[in-house]
Coordinates of all heavy atoms in Angstrom, one line a residue:
M28 N -28.0 -5.4 23.5 CA -27.6 -4.0 23.3 C -26.2 -4.0 22.7 O -25.4 -5.0 23.0 CB -27.7 -3.3 24.5 CG -29.1 -2.9 24.9 SD -29.2 -1.7 26.2 CE -29.1 -2.7 27.6
I29 N -25.9 -2.9 22.1 CA -24.5 -2.8 21.5 C -23.9 -1.5 22.0 O -24.6 -0.4 21.9 CB -24.6 -2.8 19.9 CG1 -25.2 -4.1 19.5 CG2 -23.2 -2.5 19.3 CD1 -25.6 -4.1 18.0
R30 N -22.7 -1.5 22.4 CA -22.0 -0.3 22.8 C -20.8 -0.1 21.9 O -20.1 -1.0 21.5 CB -21.4 -0.5 24.2 CG -20.6 0.6 24.8 CD -21.4 1.9 24.8 NE -20.7 2.9 25.6 CZ -20.9 3.2 26.8 NH1 -21.7 2.6 27.5 NH2 -20.2 4.2 27.4
V31 N -20.7 1.1 21.4 CA -19.6 1.5 20.5 C -18.8 2.6 21.2 O -19.4 3.7 21.6 CB -20.1 2.0 19.1 CG1 -18.9 2.3 18.2 CG2 -20.9 0.9 18.5
N32 N -17.5 2.4 21.3 CA -16.6 3.5 21.8 C -15.8 3.9 20.6 O -15.1 3.1 20.0 CB -15.7 3.0 22.9 CG -16.5 2.6 24.2 OD1 -17.6 3.1 24.4 ND2 -16.0 1.6 24.9
V33 N -15.8 5.2 20.4 CA -15.0 5.8 19.3 C -13.9 6.7 19.8 O -14.3 7.8 20.4 CB -15.9 6.6 18.3 CG1 -15.1 7.1 17.1 CG2 -17.1 5.7 17.8
S34 N -12.7 6.3 19.8 CA -11.6 7.1 20.3 C -11.1 8.0 19.2 O -11.0 7.6 18.0 CB -10.4 6.2 20.8 OG -10.9 5.4 21.8
L35 N -10.9 9.3 19.5 CA -10.5 10.3 18.5 C -9.1 10.9 18.9 O -9.1 11.4 20.0 CB -11.5 11.4 18.3 CG -12.9 10.9 17.9 CD1 -13.9 12.0 18.1 CD2 -12.8 10.4 16.5
L36 N -8.1 10.8 18.1 CA -6.8 11.4 18.4 C -6.6 12.5 17.4 O -6.6 12.3 16.2 CB -5.7 10.3 18.2 CG -4.3 10.8 18.3 CD1 -4.0 11.4 19.8 CD2 -3.3 9.7 18.0
I37 N -6.5 13.7 18.0 CA -6.3 14.9 17.2 C -4.8 15.2 17.0 O -4.1 15.5 17.9 CB -7.0 16.1 17.9 CG1 -8.4 15.8 18.3 CG2 -6.9 17.4 17.1 CD1 -9.0 16.7 19.4
E38 N -4.4 15.1 15.8 CA -3.0 15.2 15.5 C -2.6 16.7 15.2 O -1.4 17.0 15.4 CB -2.6 14.3 14.3 CG -2.8 12.9 14.7 CD -2.5 11.9 13.6 OE1 -1.9 12.3 12.6 OE2 -2.9 10.7 13.7
K39 N -3.5 17.6 14.9 CA -3.2 19.0 14.7 C -4.1 19.8 15.6 O -5.3 19.7 15.5 CB -3.5 19.4 13.2 CG -2.6 18.7 12.2 CD -2.9 19.1 10.8 CE -2.1 18.4 9.8 NZ -2.4 18.7 8.4
S40 N -3.5 20.6 16.4 CA -4.3 21.4 17.4 C -5.4 22.2 16.7 O -6.5 22.4 17.3 CB -3.4 22.2 18.3 OG -2.7 23.2 17.5
E41 N -5.2 22.7 15.5 CA -6.2 23.5 14.9 C -7.4 22.7 14.5 O -8.5 23.3 14.1 CB -5.6 24.3 13.7 CG -5.1 23.4 12.6 CD -3.6 23.0 12.6 OE1 -3.0 23.2 13.7 OE2 -3.1 22.6 11.6
N42 N -7.3 21.4 14.5 CA -8.5 20.5 14.2 C -9.4 20.3 15.4 O -10.5 19.8 15.2 CB -8.0 19.2 13.7 CG -7.4 19.3 12.3 OD1 -7.5 20.3 11.6 ND2 -6.8 18.2 11.9
R43 N -9.0 20.7 16.6 CA -9.8 20.4 17.8 C -11.2 21.1 17.7 O -12.2 20.4 17.9 CB -9.0 20.8 19.0 CG -9.7 20.3 20.3 CD -8.8 20.6 21.5 NE -9.2 19.8 22.6 CZ -10.2 20.0 23.4 NH1 -11.1 21.0 23.2 NH2 -10.5 19.2 24.4
R44 N -11.2 22.3 17.5 CA -12.5 23.1 17.5 C -13.5 22.5 16.4 O -14.6 22.2 16.7 CB -12.3 24.6 17.3 CG -13.6 25.4 17.2 CD -14.6 25.3 18.3 NE -14.1 25.2 19.6 CZ -14.8 24.7 20.7 NH1 -16.0 24.2 20.5 NH2 -14.3 24.6 21.9
P45 N -13.0 22.4 15.1 CA -13.9 21.9 14.1 C -14.4 20.4 14.4 O -15.5 20.0 14.1 CB -13.2 22.0 12.8 CG -11.8 22.5 13.1 CD -11.8 22.9 14.5
L46 N -13.5 19.6 15.0 CA -13.8 18.3 15.3 C -14.9 18.3 16.4 O -15.9 17.5 16.3 CB -12.6 17.5 15.9 CG -12.9 16.1 16.4 CD1 -13.4 15.2 15.3 CD2 -11.6 15.5 17.0
I47 N -14.8 19.1 17.4 CA -15.8 19.2 18.5 C -17.1 19.6 17.9 O -18.2 19.1 18.2 CB -15.3 20.1 19.6 CG1 -14.2 19.4 20.4 CG2 -16.5 20.5 20.5 CD1 -13.5 20.3 21.4
E48 N -17.1 20.5 16.9 CA -18.3 21.0 16.3 C -19.0 19.9 15.5 O -20.2 19.7 15.6 CB -18.1 22.2 15.4 CG -17.7 23.5 16.2 CD -17.2 24.6 15.4 OE1 -17.1 24.5 14.1 OE2 -16.8 25.6 16.0
A49 N -18.2 19.2 14.7 CA -18.8 18.1 13.9 C -19.3 17.0 14.8 O -20.4 16.4 14.6 CB -17.8 17.6 12.9
A50 N -18.5 16.6 15.8 CA -18.9 15.5 16.7 C -20.2 15.9 17.5 O -21.0 15.0 17.8 CB -17.8 15.1 17.6
T51 N -20.2 17.1 18.0 CA -21.4 17.6 18.7 C -22.7 17.5 17.9 O -23.7 17.1 18.3 CB -21.1 19.0 19.3 OG1 -20.0 19.0 20.1 CG2 -22.4 19.5 20.0
E52 N -22.5 17.9 16.6 CA -23.7 17.8 15.7 C -24.1 16.4 15.5 O -25.3 16.1 15.6 CB -23.4 18.5 14.4 CG -24.6 18.5 13.4 CD -24.3 19.1 12.1 OE1 -23.2 19.7 11.9 OE2 -25.3 19.1 11.2
L53 N -23.1 15.5 15.4 CA -23.4 14.1 15.2 C -24.2 13.5 16.5 O -25.2 12.8 16.4 CB -22.2 13.3 15.0 CG -22.3 11.7 14.8 CD1 -23.2 11.4 13.6 CD2 -21.0 11.1 14.8
V54 N -23.7 13.9 17.6 CA -24.3 13.5 18.9 C -25.8 14.0 19.0 O -26.7 13.2 19.2 CB -23.5 13.9 20.1 CG1 -24.3 13.8 21.4 CG2 -22.2 13.2 20.2
E55 N -26.0 15.3 18.7 CA -27.3 15.9 18.8 C -28.3 15.2 17.9 O -29.4 15.0 18.3 CB -27.2 17.4 18.5 CG -26.5 18.1 19.7 CD -26.2 19.6 19.3 OE1 -26.4 20.0 18.1 OE2 -25.7 20.3 20.2
L56 N -27.9 14.9 16.7 CA -28.8 14.3 15.7 C -29.0 12.8 16.0 O -30.1 12.3 15.9 CB -28.3 14.5 14.3 CG -28.2 16.0 13.8 CD1 -27.5 16.1 12.5 CD2 -29.6 16.5 13.7
S57 N -28.0 12.1 16.4 CA -28.0 10.7 16.6 C -28.9 10.4 17.8 O -29.5 9.3 17.9 CB -26.6 10.1 16.8 OG -25.9 10.3 15.6
L58 N -29.0 11.2 18.8 CA -29.8 11.0 20.0 C -31.3 10.8 19.6 O -32.1 10.2 20.3 CB -29.7 12.1 21.0 CG -28.4 12.1 21.8 CD1 -28.3 13.4 22.5 CD2 -28.4 10.9 22.8
H59 N -31.7 11.2 18.4 CA -33.1 11.1 17.9 C -33.3 9.8 17.1 O -34.4 9.6 16.7 CB -33.5 12.3 17.2 CG -33.4 13.6 18.0 ND1 -34.3 13.9 19.0 CD2 -32.5 14.6 18.0 CE1 -34.0 15.0 19.5 NE2 -32.9 15.5 19.0
D60 N -32.2 9.1 16.8 CA -32.3 7.9 15.9 C -33.0 6.8 16.7 O -32.8 6.6 17.9 CB -31.0 7.4 15.5 CG -30.3 8.3 14.4 OD1 -31.0 9.2 13.9 OD2 -29.1 8.1 14.2
K61 N -33.8 6.0 16.0 CA -34.5 4.9 16.6 C -33.5 3.9 17.2 O -32.5 3.6 16.7 CB -35.4 4.2 15.6 CG -36.1 3.0 16.1 CD -36.8 2.2 15.0 CE -37.5 1.0 15.4 NZ -36.6 -0.1 15.9
G62 N -33.8 3.5 18.5 CA -33.0 2.6 19.2 C -31.8 3.1 19.9 O -31.0 2.4 20.5
C63 N -31.6 4.4 19.8 CA -30.4 5.1 20.5 C -30.8 5.2 22.0 O -31.7 5.8 22.4 CB -30.1 6.4 19.9 SG -28.7 7.3 20.7
I64 N -29.9 4.5 22.8 CA -30.1 4.6 24.2 C -29.2 5.7 24.8 O -29.7 6.4 25.7 CB -29.8 3.2 24.8 CG1 -30.8 2.2 24.3 CG2 -29.8 3.3 26.3 CD1 -30.4 0.7 24.6
D65 N -28.0 5.8 24.3 CA -27.1 6.8 24.8 C -26.1 7.2 23.7 O -25.7 6.3 22.9 CB -26.3 6.2 26.0 CG -25.7 7.2 26.9 OD1 -26.0 8.4 26.7 OD2 -24.9 6.8 27.8
Y66 N -25.7 8.5 23.7 CA -24.8 8.9 22.7 C -24.2 10.2 23.2 O -24.9 11.1 23.5 CB -25.5 9.2 21.4 CG -24.7 9.0 20.1 CD1 -25.0 8.0 19.2 CD2 -23.7 9.9 19.7 CE1 -24.4 7.8 18.0 CE2 -23.1 9.7 18.5 CZ -23.4 8.6 17.7 OH -22.7 8.5 16.5
D67 N -22.8 10.3 23.4 CA -22.2 11.5 24.0 C -20.8 11.6 23.5 O -20.2 10.7 23.0 CB -22.3 11.4 25.5 CG -22.3 12.8 26.1 OD1 -22.1 13.8 25.4 OD2 -22.6 12.9 27.3
L68 N -20.3 12.8 23.7 CA -18.9 13.2 23.4 C -18.2 13.5 24.7 O -18.7 14.3 25.4 CB -18.9 14.3 22.4 CG -17.5 15.0 22.1 CD1 -16.7 14.0 21.3 CD2 -17.7 16.3 21.3
L69 N -17.0 12.9 24.9 CA -16.3 13.2 26.1 C -14.9 13.7 25.7 O -14.3 13.3 24.7 CB -16.1 11.9 26.9 CG -17.4 11.1 27.3 CD1 -17.0 9.8 28.0 CD2 -18.2 12.0 28.2
G70 N -14.3 14.5 26.6 CA -13.0 15.0 26.4 C -12.1 14.6 27.5 O -12.5 14.5 28.7
S71 N -10.8 14.3 27.2 CA -9.9 14.0 28.3 C -9.6 15.1 29.2 O -9.5 16.3 28.7 CB -8.6 13.5 27.6 OG -7.6 13.3 28.6
L72 N -9.4 14.9 30.4 CA -9.0 15.9 31.4 C -7.5 16.1 31.4 O -7.0 17.1 32.0 CB -9.5 15.6 32.8 CG -11.0 15.6 32.9 CD1 -11.4 15.1 34.4 CD2 -11.7 16.9 32.7
T73 N -6.8 15.2 30.8 CA -5.3 15.3 30.9 C -4.6 15.4 29.6 O -3.4 15.7 29.5 CB -4.8 14.0 31.6 OG1 -5.2 12.8 30.8 CG2 -5.3 13.8 33.0
A74 N -5.4 15.3 28.4 CA -4.8 15.4 27.1 C -5.7 16.1 26.2 O -6.8 15.5 25.8 CB -4.4 14.0 26.6
D75 N -5.4 17.3 25.7 CA -6.2 18.0 24.8 C -6.4 17.4 23.4 O -7.3 17.8 22.7 CB -5.7 19.4 24.6 CG -5.9 20.3 25.8 OD1 -6.7 20.0 26.6 OD2 -5.2 21.4 25.8
D76 N -5.6 16.4 23.1 CA -5.6 15.8 21.8 C -6.5 14.5 21.7 O -6.5 13.8 20.8 CB -4.2 15.4 21.3 CG -3.5 14.4 22.1 OD1 -3.9 14.2 23.3 OD2 -2.5 13.9 21.6
R77 N -7.2 14.3 22.8 CA -8.1 13.0 22.9 C -9.5 13.3 23.2 O -9.8 14.0 24.2 CB -7.5 12.1 23.9 CG -6.1 11.7 23.5 CD -5.5 10.5 24.3 NE -4.1 10.3 24.0 CZ -3.7 9.5 23.0 NH1 -4.6 8.8 22.3 NH2 -2.4 9.4 22.8
L78 N -10.4 12.8 22.4 CA -11.8 12.8 22.6 C -12.4 11.4 22.5 O -11.7 10.6 21.9 CB -12.5 13.8 21.7 CG -12.1 15.2 21.7 CD1 -12.8 16.0 20.5 CD2 -12.5 15.9 23.0
M79 N -13.6 11.2 22.9 CA -14.2 9.9 22.7 C -15.8 10.1 22.6 O -16.4 10.9 23.3 CB -14.0 9.0 23.9 CG -14.5 7.6 23.7 SD -14.1 6.6 25.1 CE -15.8 6.2 25.7
I80 N -16.3 9.4 21.6 CA -17.7 9.3 21.4 C -18.1 8.0 21.9 O -17.5 7.0 21.6 CB -18.1 9.5 19.9 CG1 -17.8 10.9 19.4 CG2 -19.6 9.2 19.8 CD1 -18.0 11.0 17.9
Y81 N -19.1 7.9 22.8 CA -19.6 6.6 23.2 C -21.1 6.6 22.9 O -21.8 7.6 22.9 CB -19.4 6.3 24.6 CG -20.1 7.1 25.7 CD1 -21.4 6.6 26.1 CD2 -19.6 8.3 26.2 CE1 -22.1 7.4 27.0 CE2 -20.4 9.0 27.1 CZ -21.6 8.5 27.5 OH -22.3 9.3 28.4
E82 N -21.6 5.4 22.4 CA -22.9 5.2 22.0 C -23.4 3.8 22.4 O -22.7 2.9 22.4 CB -23.1 5.5 20.5 CG -22.1 4.7 19.7 CD -22.0 5.2 18.2 OE1 -22.9 4.7 17.4 OE2 -21.1 6.0 17.9
T83 N -24.7 3.8 22.7 CA -25.4 2.5 23.1 C -26.6 2.4 22.2 O -27.4 3.3 22.2 CB -25.7 2.4 24.6 OG1 -24.5 2.7 25.3 CG2 -26.2 1.1 24.9
W84 N -26.8 1.2 21.6 CA -27.9 0.9 20.7 C -28.7 -0.3 21.2 O -28.1 -1.2 21.7 CB -27.4 0.7 19.3 CG -26.7 1.9 18.8 CD1 -25.4 2.3 18.8 CD2 -27.4 3.0 18.2 NE1 -25.2 3.5 18.3 CE2 -26.4 4.0 17.9 CE3 -28.7 3.3 17.8 CZ2 -26.8 5.2 17.3 CZ3 -29.1 4.5 17.2 CH2 -28.1 5.4 17.0
Q85 N -30.0 -0.2 21.0 CA -30.9 -1.3 21.4 C -30.6 -2.6 20.6 O -30.7 -3.7 21.1 CB -32.4 -0.9 21.2 CG -33.4 -1.8 21.7 CD -33.3 -1.9 23.2 OE1 -33.1 -0.9 23.9 NE2 -33.4 -3.1 23.8
S86 N -30.3 -2.4 19.3 CA -30.1 -3.6 18.4 C -29.1 -3.3 17.3 O -28.8 -2.2 17.0 CB -31.5 -4.1 17.8 OG -31.9 -3.1 16.9
R87 N -28.7 -4.4 16.7 CA -27.8 -4.3 15.5 C -28.5 -3.6 14.4 O -28.0 -2.7 13.7 CB -27.4 -5.7 15.0 CG -26.7 -5.8 13.7 CD -25.3 -5.3 13.6 NE -24.5 -5.8 14.7 CZ -23.3 -5.2 15.1 NH1 -22.9 -4.1 14.5 NH2 -22.6 -5.7 16.1
A88 N -29.8 -3.8 14.2 CA -30.6 -3.2 13.1 C -30.6 -1.7 13.4 O -30.5 -0.9 12.4 CB -32.0 -3.8 13.1
D89 N -30.8 -1.3 14.6 CA -30.8 0.2 14.9 C -29.5 0.8 14.6 O -29.4 1.9 14.1 CB -31.2 0.4 16.4 CG -32.6 0.0 16.7 OD1 -33.5 0.1 15.8 OD2 -32.9 -0.4 17.9
L90 N -28.4 0.2 15.0 CA -27.0 0.7 14.7 C -26.8 0.8 13.2 O -26.3 1.8 12.7 CB -26.0 -0.2 15.4 CG -24.5 0.2 15.1 CD1 -24.2 1.6 15.4 CD2 -23.6 -0.8 15.8
E91 N -27.2 -0.2 12.5 CA -27.0 -0.2 11.0 C -27.9 0.9 10.4 O -27.4 1.6 9.4 CB -27.4 -1.6 10.4 CG -26.3 -2.6 10.8 CD -26.6 -4.0 10.3 OE1 -27.6 -4.2 9.6 OE2 -25.8 -4.9 10.6
A92 N -29.1 1.1 10.9 CA -29.9 2.2 10.3 C -29.3 3.6 10.6 O -29.3 4.5 9.8 CB -31.3 2.2 10.9
H93 N -28.7 3.7 11.8 CA -28.0 4.9 12.2 C -26.8 5.2 11.2 O -26.6 6.3 10.7 CB -27.5 4.8 13.6 CG -26.4 5.7 14.0 ND1 -26.6 7.1 14.1 CD2 -25.1 5.5 14.3 CE1 -25.5 7.7 14.4 NE2 -24.5 6.8 14.6
M94 N -26.1 4.1 10.9 CA -24.9 4.2 10.0 C -25.3 4.5 8.6 O -24.5 5.1 7.8 CB -24.0 3.0 10.1 CG -23.4 2.8 11.5 SD -22.4 1.4 11.8 CE -22.3 0.5 10.4
A95 N -26.6 4.3 8.2 CA -27.1 4.6 6.9 C -27.8 6.0 6.9 O -28.2 6.4 5.8 CB -28.1 3.5 6.5
S96 N -27.8 6.7 8.0 CA -28.5 8.0 8.1 C -27.7 9.0 7.3 O -26.5 9.0 7.2 CB -28.8 8.4 9.5 OG -27.6 8.7 10.1
E97 N -28.5 10.1 6.9 CA -27.8 11.2 6.3 C -26.8 11.9 7.1 O -25.7 12.2 6.7 CB -28.9 12.2 5.8 CG -28.4 13.5 5.1 CD -27.8 14.5 6.1 OE1 -28.3 14.7 7.2 OE2 -26.9 15.3 5.7
H98 N -27.1 12.1 8.4 CA -26.2 12.8 9.3 C -24.9 12.0 9.5 O -23.8 12.5 9.6 CB -26.8 13.3 10.6 CG -27.5 12.2 11.4 ND1 -28.8 11.8 11.2 CD2 -27.0 11.4 12.4 CE1 -29.1 10.9 12.0 NE2 -28.1 10.6 12.8
F99 N -25.0 10.7 9.6 CA -23.8 9.8 9.8 C -23.0 9.9 8.6 O -21.8 10.1 8.7 CB -24.3 8.4 10.1 CG -23.1 7.4 10.4 CD1 -22.7 7.2 11.7 CD2 -22.4 6.8 9.4 CE1 -21.7 6.3 12.0 CE2 -21.4 5.9 9.7 CZ -21.0 5.7 11.0
K100 N -23.6 9.7 7.4 CA -22.8 9.7 6.2 C -22.1 11.1 5.9 O -21.1 11.1 5.2 CB -23.7 9.3 5.0 CG -24.1 7.9 5.0 CD -25.0 7.6 3.8 CE -25.4 6.1 3.7 NZ -26.2 5.8 2.6
R101 N -22.7 12.1 6.4 CA -22.2 13.5 6.2 C -21.1 13.8 7.2 O -20.1 14.4 6.8 CB -23.3 14.5 6.2 CG -22.9 15.9 6.1 CD -24.1 16.9 6.0 NE -25.1 16.7 7.1 CZ -25.0 17.3 8.3 NH1 -24.0 18.1 8.6 NH2 -25.9 17.1 9.2
L102 N -21.4 13.5 8.5 CA -20.5 13.9 9.5 C -19.3 13.0 9.8 O -18.2 13.5 10.2 CB -21.3 14.2 10.8 CG -22.2 15.4 10.7 CD1 -23.3 15.3 11.8 CD2 -21.5 16.7 10.6
V103 N -19.5 11.7 9.7 CA -18.3 10.8 10.0 C -17.1 11.0 9.1 O -16.0 11.1 9.6 CB -18.8 9.3 10.1 CG1 -17.6 8.4 10.2 CG2 -19.7 9.2 11.3
P104 N -17.3 11.2 7.8 CA -16.1 11.5 7.0 C -15.4 12.8 7.4 O -14.2 12.9 7.4 CB -16.7 11.6 5.6 CG -17.9 10.7 5.6 CD -18.5 10.9 7.0
R105 N -16.2 13.8 7.8 CA -15.7 15.0 8.3 C -14.8 14.8 9.5 O -13.7 15.3 9.7 CB -16.8 16.0 8.6 CG -16.4 17.3 9.2 CD -15.7 18.3 8.3 NE -15.4 19.5 8.9 CZ -14.3 20.2 8.8 NH1 -13.3 19.7 8.0 NH2 -14.1 21.3 9.4
I106 N -15.4 14.0 10.5 CA -14.7 13.7 11.7 C -13.4 12.9 11.4 O -12.3 13.2 12.0 CB -15.6 12.9 12.7 CG1 -16.7 13.8 13.2 CG2 -14.8 12.3 13.8 CD1 -17.8 13.1 13.9
E107 N -13.5 12.0 10.5 CA -12.3 11.2 10.1 C -11.2 12.0 9.5 O -10.0 11.7 9.5 CB -12.7 10.1 9.2 CG -13.4 8.9 9.8 CD -13.9 7.9 8.9 OE1 -14.4 8.2 7.8 OE2 -13.8 6.7 9.2
S108 N -11.6 13.1 8.8 CA -10.6 14.0 8.2 C -9.9 14.9 9.2 O -8.8 15.5 9.0 CB -11.3 14.9 7.1 OG -12.0 16.0 7.7
L109 N -10.5 15.0 10.4 CA -9.9 15.9 11.5 C -9.2 15.1 12.6 O -8.5 15.7 13.4 CB -11.0 16.7 12.1 CG -11.7 17.6 11.2 CD1 -13.0 18.1 11.8 CD2 -10.8 18.8 10.8
A110 N -9.4 13.8 12.7 CA -8.8 13.0 13.8 C -8.6 11.6 13.3 O -9.3 11.1 12.4 CB -9.6 13.1 15.0
T111 N -7.7 10.9 14.0 CA -7.6 9.4 13.8 C -8.6 8.7 14.7 O -8.7 9.0 15.9 CB -6.1 9.0 14.2 OG1 -5.2 9.7 13.4 CG2 -6.0 7.5 14.0
M112 N -9.4 7.9 14.1 CA -10.5 7.3 14.7 C -10.3 5.8 15.0 O -9.8 5.1 14.1 CB -11.8 7.4 13.9 CG -13.1 6.9 14.5 SD -14.5 7.0 13.3 CE -14.7 8.8 13.2
T113 N -10.5 5.3 16.2 CA -10.4 3.9 16.6 C -11.7 3.5 17.2 O -12.2 4.2 18.1 CB -9.3 3.7 17.6 OG1 -8.1 4.2 17.0 CG2 -9.1 2.2 17.9
L114 N -12.3 2.3 16.7 CA -13.6 1.9 17.2 C -13.4 0.6 18.1 O -12.6 -0.3 17.7 CB -14.5 1.5 16.0 CG -14.8 2.6 15.0 CD1 -15.5 2.0 13.8 CD2 -15.6 3.7 15.7
E115 N -14.2 0.5 19.1 CA -14.4 -0.7 19.9 C -15.9 -1.0 20.0 O -16.7 0.0 20.2 CB -13.9 -0.5 21.3 CG -12.4 -0.3 21.4 CD -12.0 0.0 22.9 OE1 -12.7 0.9 23.5 OE2 -11.1 -0.7 23.3
E116 N -16.3 -2.2 19.8 CA -17.7 -2.5 19.8 C -17.9 -3.7 20.8 O -17.2 -4.7 20.8 CB -18.2 -2.9 18.4 CG -19.7 -3.2 18.4 CD -20.2 -3.5 17.0 OE1 -19.9 -2.7 16.1 OE2 -20.9 -4.5 16.9
F117 N -18.9 -3.6 21.6 CA -19.3 -4.6 22.6 C -20.7 -4.9 22.5 O -21.6 -4.0 22.4 CB -19.0 -4.1 24.0 CG -17.6 -3.6 24.2 CD1 -17.3 -2.2 24.0 CD2 -16.5 -4.4 24.5 CE1 -16.0 -1.7 24.2 CE2 -15.2 -3.9 24.7 CZ -15.0 -2.6 24.5
T118 N -21.1 -6.2 22.6 CA -22.5 -6.6 22.6 C -22.8 -7.2 24.0 O -22.0 -7.9 24.6 CB -22.7 -7.7 21.6 OG1 -22.4 -7.2 20.3 CG2 -24.2 -8.2 21.6
F119 N -23.9 -6.8 24.6 CA -24.2 -7.2 25.9 C -25.7 -7.4 26.1 O -26.4 -7.0 25.2 CB -23.6 -6.3 27.0 CG -24.1 -4.9 26.9 CD1 -25.1 -4.4 27.8 CD2 -23.5 -4.0 26.1 CE1 -25.5 -3.1 27.7 CE2 -23.9 -2.7 26.0 CZ -24.9 -2.2 26.8

């Protein structure tokens, strides 16, 4: 299995709401992708400028298919335009 943690740093407060909307849509659509075990959006309780998307995939092939999906290609660039994104990936 593969776990991806995506940290999002919001540099402009006006980007928070559109970022949450885009990330929520990504989560909702990605949960239906083949091999998706878990996918969610979390917000910090102590810092309004920090969010995190975490996802778990059954296999590398499933993750790659997800990254080639229409919703990923449409929404990830939007998310990247609204926040600084940092990725961590773990295989277990």
Side-chain angles (χ1 to χ4, degrees):
M28 285 192 275
I29 300 168
R30 175 61 169 262
V31 180
N32 295 331
V33 182
S34 298
L35 301 167
L36 176 61
I37 306 162
E38 296 177 15
K39 297 178 182 177
S40 61
E41 63 267 19
N42 288 351
R43 190 172 199 284
R44 175 56 39 203
L46 175 62
I47 290 171
E48 290 170 359
T51 299
E52 183 179 356
L53 180 64
V54 168
E55 290 171 351
L56 294 170
S57 299
L58 284 168
H59 300 287
D60 289 348
K61 179 185 175 293
C63 180
I64 295 169
D65 201 10
Y66 211 108
D67 207 351
L68 174 66
L69 305 173
S71 172
L72 295 175
T73 59
D75 286 343
D76 64 343
R77 300 192 186 268
L78 298 172
M79 186 176 115
I80 297 172
Y81 71 88
E82 48 192 279
T83 307
W84 295 93
Q85 188 65 40
S86 70
R87 169 74 47 200
D89 293 331
L90 175 57
E91 289 176 3
H93 163 66
M94 292 175 10
S96 70
E97 179 279 330
H98 55 272
F99 184 93
K100 289 180 178 180
R101 176 173 53 85
L102 292 166
V103 170
R105 172 78 175 136
I106 291 168
E107 289 177 317
S108 76
L109 296 166
T111 300
M112 183 184 294
T113 306
L114 301 172
E115 297 175 307
E116 184 178 308
F117 308 92
T118 303
F119 58 99

